[in-house]
């Protein structure tokens, strides 16, 4: 491969080789249903000294890698929506914090047991706690589960993780300062610098950004250019003030998070982020010394096993204690069965400070490759996996969580039963409440939703529509129809099958998100498949557009 190294000695040819190999590996990754992050890490190893030894312009690649991290943290801050955490209540906060604490504690003990030093064990343990928001959101969106209960809970505690990693990086970045300074001096300097940085960010949010962004919004190109310049400026300012550039970039994103133009900026920067992160992983792979990390392979498999199995179990236990059904807990738990790009950035920060060595960075990188690669398949095939192991998961479910309302339904009748009290289901209930003529029963498997609806005076019970036992207690036989607003095909099929097996004579309505899924839902045996967006558009046309455009009032 010497000829390849000679060609790559020209920086332009070097970049050409890297990009061509990136496109090739990306195509292979797409066939294997692997996220780009896995293929980028593989690319970094491939072009590094251990294989092709293509990377010679290390300064150029390192600069692009730093800019990529800045853009990544900027987008994280830009998309930081605390309302998502609020929407799923304390479950996101408690699950997120609980998973971080237990994973880091157990990971630390495993590290100590394997002979790592206390400091190295700390870095490994913390790196194991963070899951990739980018990968999880992409996979859940592709599966149309981002708006499901487990999807919202997962996104909620992933945001909690993102906040935790930023705070940890802030603390670590202060350790870059002169070790000869007294501890109180370092703490005081950190507090003062942090206060100044946050105050400057607040001033920009209050006065500069609203005025400037309105002017720049006239040209989307200028708006995006300003956003990048602002991110890099605050990242540089963070470096000057003793923090890492990542902290400044994150604050830059937060300062624009309330802007009406954040979606425009974010959508245009995502491709740039993915492109620049390519060089972060190339830079990482080029620095890996396989002679040093070769002995870490066995340990990497042990830590990977803990992440793949232990992290979901931790989430199962926490959510089970809080009263959630095993299905919701399991599907949410699978989203933490990998470490994230933040884990690698965190390890790189530790290496630059001098806290850990290349061996530990290599170990964390190997764990990233293994867990991201395998967890992708776990999430893609989460429902068949759940069906297979569901009986064994009952130990993670509270036995006394049954809704007392379900215990005695003697003499009660309902004309309508609504499964799922999300946006669609609750709106149906709102209309029924206004009519006051139809008696209905709501069923939802989110205990917080059930509690809120009960406080509002509605008959809503806590149960999972995939649990066949609930039909022994819910008076569905006297109902004229059953509506499911849960747009999940497997769950809908299970509901229809159970109702038919129990000789239900009424109408069954299912909900799908897209027209192309309508036929699949219809095949399950439903009388009608509802598509909320189509219904809303039809109502708007019949009630407003038709009268305005076709039958205008003279």
């Amino acid at each position: 491969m010497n000829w390849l190294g000679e060609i790559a000695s020209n920086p332009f040819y070097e970049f050409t080789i890297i990009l061509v190999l990136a496109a090739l590996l990306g195509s292979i990754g797409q066939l294997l249903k692997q996220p780009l992050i896995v293929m980028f890490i593989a690319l970094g190893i491939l072009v590094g000294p251990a294989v092709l030894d293509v990377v010679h312009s290390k300064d150029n690649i390192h600069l692009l890698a730093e800019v990529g991290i800045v853009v990544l943290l900027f987008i994280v801050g830009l998309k930081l929506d605390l309302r998502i955490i609020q929407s799923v209540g304390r479950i996101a906060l408690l699950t997120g914090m609980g998973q971080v604490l237990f994973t880091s504690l157990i990971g630390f003990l495993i590290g100590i047991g394997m002979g790592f030093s206390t400091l190295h064990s700390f870095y490994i343990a913390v790196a194991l706690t963070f899951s990739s928001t980018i990968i999880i959101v992409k996979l859940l969106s592709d599966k149309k589960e981002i708006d499901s209960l487990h999807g919202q809970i997962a996104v909620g505690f992933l945001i909690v993780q993102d906040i935790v990693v930023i705070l940890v990086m802030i603390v670590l970045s202060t350790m870059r300062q002169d070790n000869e300074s007294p501890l109180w001096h370092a703490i005081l300097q950190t507090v003062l610098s942090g206060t100044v940085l946050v105050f400057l960010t607040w001033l920009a949010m209050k006065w500069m950004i609203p005025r400037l962004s309105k002017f720049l919004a006239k040209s989307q190109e200028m708006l995006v250019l300003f956003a990048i310049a602002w991110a890099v400026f605050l990242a540089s300012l963070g470096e000057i003030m003793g923090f890492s550039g990542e902290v400044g970039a994150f604050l830059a994103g937060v300062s624009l998070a309330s802007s009406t133009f954040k979606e425009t900026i974010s959508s245009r920067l995502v491709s740039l982020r993915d492109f620049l992160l390519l060089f972060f992983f190339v830079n990482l792979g080029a620095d890996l010394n396989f002679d040093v990390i070769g002995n870490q392979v066995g340990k990497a498999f042990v830590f990977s096993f803990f992440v793949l199995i232990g992290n979901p179990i931790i989430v199962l236990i926490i959510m089970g204690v809080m009263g959630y059904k095993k299905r919701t807990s399991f599907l949410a738990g699978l989203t933490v069965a990998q470490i994230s790009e933040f884990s690698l950035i965190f390890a790189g920060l530790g290496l630059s400070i001098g806290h850990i060595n290349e061996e530990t960075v290599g170990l964390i990188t190997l764990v990233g490759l293994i867990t991201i690669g395998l967890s992708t398949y776990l999430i893609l095939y989460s429902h068949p996996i759940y069906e297979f192991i569901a009986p064994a998961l009952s130990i993670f479910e509270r036995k006394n969580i049954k809704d007392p309302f379900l215990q005695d339904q003697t003499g009660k009748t309902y004309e309508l039963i609504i499964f799922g009290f999300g946006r669609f289901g609750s709106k149906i209930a709102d209309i029924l409440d206004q009519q006051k003529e139809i008696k209905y029963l709501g069923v939802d498997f989110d205990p917080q939703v059930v509690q809120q609806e009960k406080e509002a005076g509605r008959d809503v019970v806590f149960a999972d529509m995939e649990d066949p036992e609930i039909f022994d207690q819910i008076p569905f036989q006297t109902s004229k129809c059953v509506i499911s607003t849960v747009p999940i095909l497997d769950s809908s099929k299970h509901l229809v099958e159970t109702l038919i097996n129990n000789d239900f004579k009424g109408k069954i309505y299912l909900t799908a998100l897209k027209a192309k899924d309508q036929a699949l839902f219809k095949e399950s045996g439903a009388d009608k498949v509802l598509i909320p967006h189509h219904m809303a558009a039809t109502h708007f046309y019949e009630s407003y557009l038709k009268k305005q455009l076709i039958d205008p009032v003279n």
Side-chain angles (χ1 to χ4, degrees):
M1 290 294 181
N2 291 335
W3 61 271
L4 192 59
E6 292 176 6
I7 294 175
S9 60
N10 183 311
F12 185 78
Y13 295 153
E14 176 184 340
F15 273 58
T16 301
I17 294 171
I18 291 172
L19 293 177
V20 169
L21 289 174
L24 179 62
L25 287 179
S27 300
I28 296 173
Q30 195 168 13
L31 291 174
L32 298 175
K33 298 183 179 180
Q34 285 293 318
L36 279 177
I37 289 178
V38 172
M39 308 317 294
F40 284 173
I41 296 175
L43 173 66
I45 296 172
L46 181 63
V47 300
V51 186
L52 299 180
D53 194 20
V54 170
V55 179
H56 299 288
S57 305
K58 290 191 175 181
D59 290 341
N60 295 333
I61 289 177
H62 181 71
L63 177 60
L64 289 171
E66 285 194 324
V67 177
I69 295 172
V70 165
V71 174
L72 170 65
L73 270 294
F74 175 73
I75 293 177
V76 169
L78 195 65
K79 290 193 170 186
L80 185 62
D81 191 352
L82 297 179
R83 290 174 297 180
I84 294 179
I85 299 178
Q86 292 175 345
S87 69
V88 290
R90 62 193 181 103
I91 180 63
L93 183 61
L94 293 180
T95 305
M97 293 302 299
Q99 184 263 321
V100 167
L101 290 173
F102 284 112
T103 299
S104 56
L105 176 61
I106 298 172
F108 178 80
L109 294 176
I110 294 174
I112 293 294
M114 286 187 170
F116 287 98
S117 68
T118 301
L119 188 57
H120 284 211
S121 297
F122 167 77
Y123 268 88
I124 294 170
V126 174
L128 299 182
T129 64
F130 307 128
S131 305
S132 178
T133 305
I134 297 173
I135 294 175
I136 299 307
V137 170
K138 177 69 167 60
L139 290 173
L140 291 177
S141 298
D142 290 346
K143 293 185 68 181
K144 304 179 186 66
E145 295 180 7
I146 195 70
D147 290 323
S148 65
L149 176 60
H150 69 269
Q152 287 293 291
I153 291 174
V155 172
F157 60 62
L158 287 172
I159 290 175
V160 172
Q161 286 185 1
D162 288 345
I163 295 173
V164 171
V165 70
I166 294 297
L167 294 175
V168 172
M169 289 172 70
I170 290 174
V171 173
L172 290 178
S173 64
T174 63
M175 297 182 182
R176 287 180 167 177
Q177 304 190 25
D178 188 3
N179 292 330
E180 296 180 1
S181 301
L183 180 61
W184 67 267
H185 185 271
I187 294 174
L188 180 61
Q189 184 175 346
T190 300
V191 171
L192 289 176
S193 298
T195 303
V196 171
L197 191 59
V198 171
F199 180 69
L200 290 175
T201 305
W202 178 82
L203 283 179
M205 291 173 62
K206 189 75 174 176
W207 304 106
M208 183 188 78
I209 291 175
R211 293 169 173 78
L212 193 57
S213 58
K214 285 182 180 179
F215 169 74
L216 293 171
K218 296 175 182 177
S219 168
Q220 291 193 0
E221 290 79 7
M222 283 302 301
L223 184 65
V224 173
L225 180 60
F226 162 73
I228 297 174
W230 177 239
V232 174
F233 170 74
L234 271 193
S236 299
L237 187 61
E239 290 274 5
I240 292 171
M241 300 183 72
F243 295 99
S244 67
E246 291 88 343
V247 174
F250 174 76
L251 288 176
V254 171
S255 67
L256 289 173
S258 59
S259 168
T260 55
F261 313 110
K262 74 170 187 175
E263 292 301 331
T264 301
I265 296 171
S266 176
S267 62
R268 286 182 168 247
L269 287 184
V270 166
S271 298
L272 178 63
R273 174 202 67 193
D274 293 341
F275 175 73
L276 291 174
L277 279 181
L278 160 68
F279 295 99
F280 168 75
F281 292 110
V282 169
N283 187 59
L284 181 69
D287 289 335
L288 286 178
N289 186 342
F290 278 82
D291 293 333
V292 175
I293 66 173
N295 297 328
Q296 304 298 317
V297 174
K299 296 176 181 178
F301 276 107
V302 173
F303 283 115
S304 298
F305 180 82
F306 168 61
V307 172
L308 289 164
I309 305 299
N311 274 359
I313 289 176
I314 290 171
V315 172
L316 270 165
I317 294 172
I318 295 172
M319 292 184 65
V321 169
M322 297 184 70
Y324 283 83
K325 293 290 185 179
K326 60 185 179 183
R327 179 177 176 276
T328 304
S329 304
F330 175 77
L331 295 178
L334 282 185
T335 63
V336 296
Q338 93 285 125
I339 67 174
S340 77
E341 63 281 356
F342 277 125
S343 302
L344 304 180
I345 294 171
F346 173 74
L349 180 61
L351 180 65
S352 67
I353 295 173
H355 286 174
I356 59 177
N357 53 27
E358 291 180 356
E359 218 170 280
T360 304
V361 174
L363 170 67
I364 295 172
T365 304
L366 288 175
V367 173
L369 270 172
I370 296 168
T371 56
I372 295 173
L374 293 179
S375 68
T376 299
Y377 295 114
L378 292 179
I379 295 172
L380 287 175
Y381 301 104
S382 58
H383 293 283
I385 294 172
Y386 170 75
E387 293 295 333
F388 181 72
I389 65 172
L393 298 178
S394 298
I395 60 173
F396 299 106
E397 212 171 45
R398 282 173 58 182
K399 304 303 179 185
N400 60 342
I401 197 63
K402 292 252 185 207
D403 194 316
F405 186 83
L406 285 173
Q407 304 303 317
D408 183 18
Q409 290 294 295
T410 306
K412 292 189 177 182
T413 60
Y414 296 94
E415 297 171 82
L416 171 66
I417 298 177
I418 305 172
F419 284 89
F421 254 65
R423 288 174 294 185
F424 189 30
S426 61
K427 289 301 179 184
I428 294 174
D430 289 340
I431 295 172
L432 295 174
D433 288 341
Q434 293 173 6
Q435 302 298 324
K436 296 182 179 179
E437 296 177 354
I438 300 175
K439 192 173 183 183
Y440 65 89
L441 173 67
V443 181
D444 200 284
F445 61 4
D446 185 344
Q448 297 184 48
V449 169
V450 172
Q451 184 63 33
Q452 292 169 2
E453 297 297 338
K454 283 185 174 181
E455 291 174 356
R458 289 173 169 170
D459 282 354
V460 180
V461 297
F462 172 69
D464 189 342
M465 75 181 195
E466 293 198 23
D467 182 3
E469 294 181 5
I470 66 170
F471 290 100
D472 296 331
Q473 303 172 67
I474 290 178
F476 69 95
Q477 293 285 10
T478 57
S479 300
K480 295 180 180 178
C481 65
V482 169
I483 300 176
S484 168
T485 67
V486 181
I488 301 175
L489 182 59
D490 290 340
S491 301
S492 300
K493 285 182 176 180
H494 187 277
L495 174 65
V496 174
E497 183 181 345
T498 306
L499 287 169
I500 292 175
N501 290 340
N502 283 276
D503 298 322
F504 178 67
K505 305 300 182 183
K507 299 289 185 180
I508 302 174
Y509 297 90
L510 301 180
T511 301
L513 291 180
K514 295 183 179 180
K516 66 179 182 179
D517 299 328
Q518 191 171 15
L520 296 174
F521 279 81
K522 187 71 175 177
E523 288 173 3
S524 66
D527 293 284
K528 188 173 181 60
V529 179
L530 310 174
I531 305 177
H533 295 149
H534 284 201
M535 295 168 63
T538 301
H539 173 72
F540 175 65
Y541 173 76
E542 294 291 342
S543 300
Y544 300 99
L545 277 184
K546 185 177 180 181
K547 295 179 181 178
Q548 184 70 27
L549 301 177
I550 300 176
D551 302 320
V553 178
N554 294 325

